[in-house]
């Protein structure tokens, strides 16, 4: 069983097929997806209310940047990582210390970035 088994993860991703792929990969790793959300307002609500171990944030949600969600998570001390096709260079400097998954990515890359974000051995 994966070292991530039982991890509760919020997925914020606006592309339906990509979200389904992420959910499948997380399930194979033994993670529980607490919610998969595509819109910024709902993502902000979930970040403020849901219990989770980690959040995966697509940087661009249908033209809106996900950083308000990141700030809510930061305020709750919930770790998060970014998922983007633009690379780390598209992130503001205040997020330079956060892990970034570059789309497209493999299940192994996903597992590694989550483990790094959760500071697992």
């Amino acid at each position: 069983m994966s070292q991530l088994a039982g991890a509760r993860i919020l997925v914020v991703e606006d592309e339906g097929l990509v979200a389904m792929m992420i959910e499948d990969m997380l399930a194979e790793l033994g993670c529980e997806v607490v919610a998969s959300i595509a819109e910024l307002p709902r993502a902000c609500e979930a970040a403020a209310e849901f219990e989770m171990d980690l959040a995966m944030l697509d940087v661009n949600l249908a033209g809106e940047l996900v950083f308000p969600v990141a700030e809510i998570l930061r305020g709750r001390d919930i770790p998060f990582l970014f998922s983007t096709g633009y690379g780390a260079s598209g992130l503001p400097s205040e997020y330079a210390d956060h892990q970034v998954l570059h789309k497209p990515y493999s299940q192994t890359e996903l597992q590694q970035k989550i483990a790094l974000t959760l500071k697992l051995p």
Side-chain angles (χ1 to χ4, degrees), residues 12-115:
V12 178
E13 169 61 59
D14 66 338
E15 294 289 335
L17 290 176
V18 174
M20 287 176 20
M21 179 193 71
I22 294 168
E23 292 168 30
D24 288 346
M25 288 193 284
L26 291 171
E28 287 182 27
L29 293 170
C31 300
E32 174 191 341
V33 175
V34 296
S36 184
I37 298 174
E39 303 90 21
L40 186 62
R42 286 193 56 229
C44 286
E45 290 172 12
E49 297 172 11
F50 291 10
E51 291 301 317
M52 68 197 88
D53 299 305
L54 173 126
M56 292 183 57
L57 308 177
D58 180 8
V59 172
N60 186 333
L61 298 173
E64 294 184 285
L65 297 177
V66 77
F67 304 122
V69 178
E71 285 307 307
I72 293 167
L73 295 166
R74 184 183 275 172
R76 293 184 64 199
D77 291 321
I78 295 172
F80 56 92
L81 60 86
F82 294 105
S83 169
T84 180
Y86 302 109
S89 62
L91 297 178
S93 59
E94 65 259 33
Y95 299 111
D97 60 338
H98 286 79
Q99 296 295 320
V100 178
L101 272 165
H102 301 278
K103 293 178 182 176
Y105 51 84
S106 69
Q107 183 170 336
T108 300
E109 291 168 313
L110 174 64
Q111 182 176 10
Q112 290 169 342
K113 293 293 187 178
I114 291 173

